[in-house]
């Protein structure tokens, strides 16, 4: 017999208790993993999109933590275009929007010029791309199409401009999940709908054979120094896509919530584990006494109890990952949130969840294991 | 023949034990030597300290005074008493204490985790040999609940022999058994003493058990009041 087999049999002795403990831990860990997964998915999809679009810098108004609040004059884009290091620049306006026929669905509307980087890796499922001169035309992501129940040829009337119905000219699929849940109009239409001049722009620098790091730094500094003669208070901030994604406050919020939930899940998990293992140790007082009597050192008794706790935790991590994947899938079917999240768990998130669960096992098993190891064989065997 | 610790397998020298909550001395200066392959029965009224003495001999607990020697070496000096118990001593208790989730074969292997290094396969093989020895080979795959009380005690005996100890300590091993099953266990004791040169110390209330032993030690109030070896000891 292997020591491991012994540990496993101890857990299977009380199948219902073991199952309930695993389930309880799995729900706690599962919700934690699901939330960490949401944050991670958004971050990775945005990062990978900027990567394929070969965007080096994202420029927004400085000190506008909600990217959507950023708004500045075309002076900046004109000046930035003139910088010798800039190969290409594309600007946009962004805002939250709703459609008149279904105000329950909130989505992002963006105004893009035809040369926007975003058009390059976009997959048009149906219809055509926006071209110069299009007015009152809208392209919608596939998730928004299903949430608003609109297809090519239908119209959408934005709550912000009730007098002008927009014709749907395309349904597209993007690599960025919230673009799938959003709408794209021409830049001038976007300015009208959002009431903004420019929300932000992306820059691709000239590589000049190198990795472009020097050019990126130069552009960053030059953009930070730009001042609009019409409003000297406005400053811009150019960030790498990675830093930009990190700083998006919605993502920060999701991350904060997921870490709070993780802490709560951890505490609940540890309490559950302590309870289960302490009960199990108490029931086995005699048995542990005999193990000590036949020569098991405290160390081995401790490993046995900790081993049981960690095994329980690993089972919970497995079930929890399934719970999380299922939960995420269920979320992506809800129109309220599916414009912002996508299903699937990265191995990294599953590994993190498993590590935390194992930690729960060790933390929750430690005290019962210590108690078990402290049992004196004579005391344990005395009460017949 | 001399009579010091060095001449015995196990030697308790003036052992004293007081429990914290009892003002009484559970053991009040007990000196007892056990020679290799000797079969000693310890008897006496309830509460006289028999189990306490057995616990001291098996280093399940430490004495408050005096010393216990194993092969002439004082055990109070040893720090690895778990290791010592695992390899040198086999225990049998009145209520078997088998592990309910494990089969007979697995129960016998429990002490082997602390014994000489063996592969899992070798452990199982060794367990089968021991079960054969106690006549339980056919029930190796049964869990304790599927065994009669007599069978359980024989499995517990096989477990006590797992690491081939030279000394077996038993506290009321037949206390829960009917006379037929008790006899089977006692026959095994006698056989083990002969075949394996095993020393046995058996605490018992039963005269029948005591009669089987080479030597009977009687206790009262934490002291030894008579010892059949003492009478013959002079001539030995
Ligand atoms: N852990 C303990 N704490 C306090 N007192 C104890 C403890 N163990 C034993 N005693 C006391 O020590 C004395 C000797 O007990 P012991 O168990 O050795 O007797 P015994 O001869 O084995 O009795 P029995 O035949 O009933 O098993 C008794 O008075 C008992 O109450
Ligand atoms: Mg007793």
């Amino acid at each position: 017999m292997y020591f491991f087999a012994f540990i496993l049999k101890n857990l299977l002795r009380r199948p219902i208790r073991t199952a309930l403990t695993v389930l309880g831990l799995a729900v706690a860990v599962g919700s934690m993993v699901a939330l960490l997964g949401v944050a991670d998915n958004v971050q990775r999809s945005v990062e990978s999109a900027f990567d394929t679009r070969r965007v080096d810098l994202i420029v927004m108004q400085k000190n506008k933590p909600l990217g959507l609040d950023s708004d500045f004059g075309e002076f900046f884009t004109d000046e930035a275009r003139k910088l010798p290091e800039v190969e290409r620049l594309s600007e946009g306006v962004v805002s939250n929007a709703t459609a008149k026929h279904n105000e329950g669905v909130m989505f992002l509307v963006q105004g893009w010029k035809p040369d926007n980087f975003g058009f390059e890796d976009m997959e048009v499922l149906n219809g055509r791309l926006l071209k110069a001169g299009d007015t009152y035309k809208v392209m919608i992501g596939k998730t928004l199409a299903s949430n608003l129940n609109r297809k090519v040829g239908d119209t959408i009337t934005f709550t912000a401009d009730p007098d002008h119905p927009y014709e749907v000219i395309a349904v597209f699929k993007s690599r960025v999940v919230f673009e799938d849940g959003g709408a794209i109009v021409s830049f001038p239409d976007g300015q009208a709908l959002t009431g903004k001049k420019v929300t932000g722009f992306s820059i691709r620098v000239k590589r000049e054979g190198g990795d472009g790091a020097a050019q990126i730094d130069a552009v960053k500094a030059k953009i930070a120094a730009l001042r609009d003669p019409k409003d000297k208070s406005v400053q811009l901030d150019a960030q790498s896509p990675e830093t930009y994604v990190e700083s998006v406050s919605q993502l920060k919020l999701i991350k904060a919530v997921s870490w709070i939930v993780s802490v709560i899940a951890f505490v609940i998990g540890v309490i559950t584990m302590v309870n289960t293992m302490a009960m199990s140790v108490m029931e086995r007082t005699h048995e542990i006494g005999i193990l000590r009597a036949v020569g098991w050192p405290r160390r081995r008794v401790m490993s046995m109890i900790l081993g049981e706790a960690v095994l329980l935790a690993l089972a919970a991590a497995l079930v929890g990952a399934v719970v999380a994947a299922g939960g995420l899938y269920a979320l992506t079917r809800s129109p309220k949130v599916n414009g912002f999240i996508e299903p699937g768990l990265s191995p990294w998130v599953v590994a993190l969840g498993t590590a935390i669960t194992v930690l729960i096992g060790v933390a929750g098993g430690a005290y019962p294991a210590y108690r078990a190891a402290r049992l004196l064989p004579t005391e344990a065997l005395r009460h017949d | 023949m001399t009579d010091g610790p060095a001449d015995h397998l196990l030697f308790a020298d003036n052992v004293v034990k007081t429990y914290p909550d009892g003002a009484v001395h559970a053991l009040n200066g007990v000196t007892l030597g056990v020679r290799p392959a000797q079969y000693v029965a310890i008897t006496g009224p309830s509460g006289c300290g028999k189990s306490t003495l057995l616990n001291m001999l098996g280093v399940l607990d430490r004495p408050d005074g005096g010393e216990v020697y194993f092969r002439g070496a004082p055990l109070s000096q040893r720090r690895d008493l778990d290791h010592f118990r695992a390899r040198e001593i086999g225990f049998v208790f009145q209520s078997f204490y088998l592990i309910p989730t494990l089969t007979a074969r697995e129960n016998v292997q429990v002490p082997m985790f602390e014994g000489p290094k063996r592969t899992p396969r070798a452990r199982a093989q060794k367990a089968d040999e021991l079960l054969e020895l106690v006549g339980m080979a056919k029930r190796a795959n049964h869990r304790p609940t599927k065994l009669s009380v007599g069978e359980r005690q024989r499995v517990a005996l096989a477990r006590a022999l797992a690491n081939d100890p030279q000394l077996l300590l038993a506290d009321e091993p037949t206390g829960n058994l009917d006379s037929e099953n008790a006899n089977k266990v006692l026959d095994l004791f006698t056989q083990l003493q002969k075949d394996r040169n095993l020393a046995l110390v058996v605490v018992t209330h039963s005269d029948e058990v005591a009669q089987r032993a080479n030597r009977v030690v009687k206790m009262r109030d934490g002291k030894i009041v008579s010892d059949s070896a003492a009478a013959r000891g002079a001539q030995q």
Side-chain angles (χ1 to χ4, degrees), chain B residues 2 25 49 76 81 114 117 129 132 134-135 140 147 167 174 198 203 208 219 232:
Chain B
T2 51
H25 292 301
S76 65
L81 290 181
E114 296 301 325
K117 251 207 160 10
E129 284 165 28
E132 175 81 51
V134 298
L147 301 174
L167 176 66
T174 59
L198 198 65
V203 165
E208 221 174 317
M219 290 182 66
R232 287 177 286 130

Side-chain angles (χ1 to χ4, degrees), chain A residues 199-382:
Chain A
T199 306
F201 55 93
S202 323
I203 288 175
R204 184 186 296 166
V205 300
K206 293 182 184 146
R207 298 275 143 155
E208 316 282 8
D211 64 354
Q215 288 86 345
I216 289 173
D217 285 344
V219 172
K220 257 182 157 168
K222 288 178 184 173
I223 283 181
L226 286 177
R227 292 292 179 280
D228 188 345
K230 289 193 205 127
D231 182 356
K232 294 220 185 289
S233 69
V234 179
Q235 279 187 56
L236 300 193
D237 190 13
Q239 296 172 296
S240 71
E242 292 74 30
T243 338
Y244 163 70
V245 172
E246 292 275 348
S247 74
V248 173
S249 48
Q250 288 90 335
L251 196 60
K252 275 189 184 161
L253 184 73
I254 298 178
K255 277 190 172 171
V257 168
S258 59
W259 282 110
I260 291 168
V261 169
S262 301
V263 170
I264 295 171
F266 187 85
V267 172
I268 293 176
V270 170
I271 292 171
T272 307
M273 189 60 91
V274 170
N275 181 47
T276 298
M277 292 315 296
M279 203 147 77
S280 149
V281 164
M282 224 169 65
E283 284 170 0
R284 288 185 284 164
T285 300
H286 281 313
E287 229 174 274
I288 291 164
I290 195 75
L291 294 175
R292 298 276 289 116
V294 302
W296 278 31
R298 295 181 195 280
R299 182 164 28 85
R300 186 176 288 278
V301 171
M302 204 119 138
S303 328
M304 174 178 83
I305 304 296
L306 271 181
E308 291 173 22
V310 168
L311 200 60
L312 266 179
L314 283 175
L318 196 75
V319 178
V322 173
V323 167
L328 270 185
Y329 179 73
L331 274 180
T332 56
R333 312 218 25 154
S334 145
K336 283 231 183 308
V337 291
N338 64 358
F340 298 93
I341 62 174
E342 56 186 327
L345 287 174
S346 76
W348 181 83
V349 167
V350 173
L352 180 68
T354 306
I356 293 178
T357 319
V358 169
L359 213 62
I360 289 175
V362 173
Y367 179 67
Y370 168 78
R371 285 285 301 267
R374 292 262 320 211
L375 282 172
L376 293 173
T378 46
E379 281 303 309
L381 296 174
R382 208 157 71 93

Side-chain angles (χ1 to χ4, degrees), chain A residues 384, chain B residues 45-52 54-55 94 171-172 203 205:
Chain A
D384 272 324
Chain B
S46 184
C48 70
K50 304 183 294 293
S51 298
T52 305
L54 206 69
N55 290 346
Q94 179 170 354
D171 198 346
E172 304 278 6
V203 165
H205 275 114

Side-chain angles (χ1 to χ4, degrees), chain B residues 15 17 19 24-30 42-54 171-172 203-205 217-225:
Chain B
V15 166
K17 179 72 185 179
Y19 288 106
V24 284
H25 292 301
L27 291 180
N28 202 352
V30 170
I42 299 178
T43 65
S46 184
C48 70
K50 304 183 294 293
S51 298
T52 305
L53 176 59
L54 206 69
D171 198 346
E172 304 278 6
V203 165
T204 185
H205 275 114
V217 173
K218 288 203 172 104
M219 290 182 66
R220 182 174 302 155
D221 297 335
K223 280 178 173 301
I224 291 176
V225 289

Side-chain angles (χ1 to χ4, degrees), chain A residues 1-3 6 9-10 13 286-287 290-298 300 377-378 380-384, chain B residues 55 60-61 82-83 85-86 91 93 95-97 99-103 106 109-111 113-114 120 123 159:
Chain A
M1 185 180 49
Y2 287 94
F3 187 52
F6 187 42
K9 288 192 172 207
N10 281 338
R13 156 183 339 203
H286 281 313
E287 229 174 274
I290 195 75
L291 294 175
R292 298 276 289 116
V294 302
W296 278 31
R298 295 181 195 280
R300 186 176 288 278
T378 46
L381 296 174
R382 208 157 71 93
H383 314 280
D384 272 324
Chain B
N55 290 346
L60 287 173
D61 201 354
D82 300 316
H83 189 255
R85 274 203 305 278
F91 286 98
F93 299 91
S95 355
F96 335 127
Y97 296 127
I99 295 182
T101 46
L102 303 184
T103 62
E106 290 165 341
Q109 292 173 57
V110 165
F113 290 116
E114 296 301 325
R123 288 201 282 264
R159 176 180 65 189

Side-chain angles (χ1 to χ4, degrees), chain B residues 66-78:
Chain B
E67 179 65 271
V68 179
Y69 300 84
F70 186 79
R71 296 192 199 280
L75 290 177
S76 65
Q77 312 279 323
R78 286 185 74 141

Side-chain angles (χ1 to χ4, degrees), chain B residues 182-218:
Chain B
N183 275 323
K184 276 189 191 159
V185 169
L186 293 174
D187 288 346
L188 280 168
F189 280 0
T190 311
Q191 185 197 328
L192 288 168
Q193 184 206 5
K194 278 212 194 83
D195 297 352
R196 302 190 149 215
N197 283 328
L198 198 65
L200 288 130
V201 180
V202 181
V203 165
T204 185
H205 275 114
S206 145
D207 290 338
E208 221 174 317
V209 178
Q211 274 165 19
R212 298 246 194 165
N214 310 130
R215 176 181 168 194
V216 179
V217 173
K218 288 203 172 104

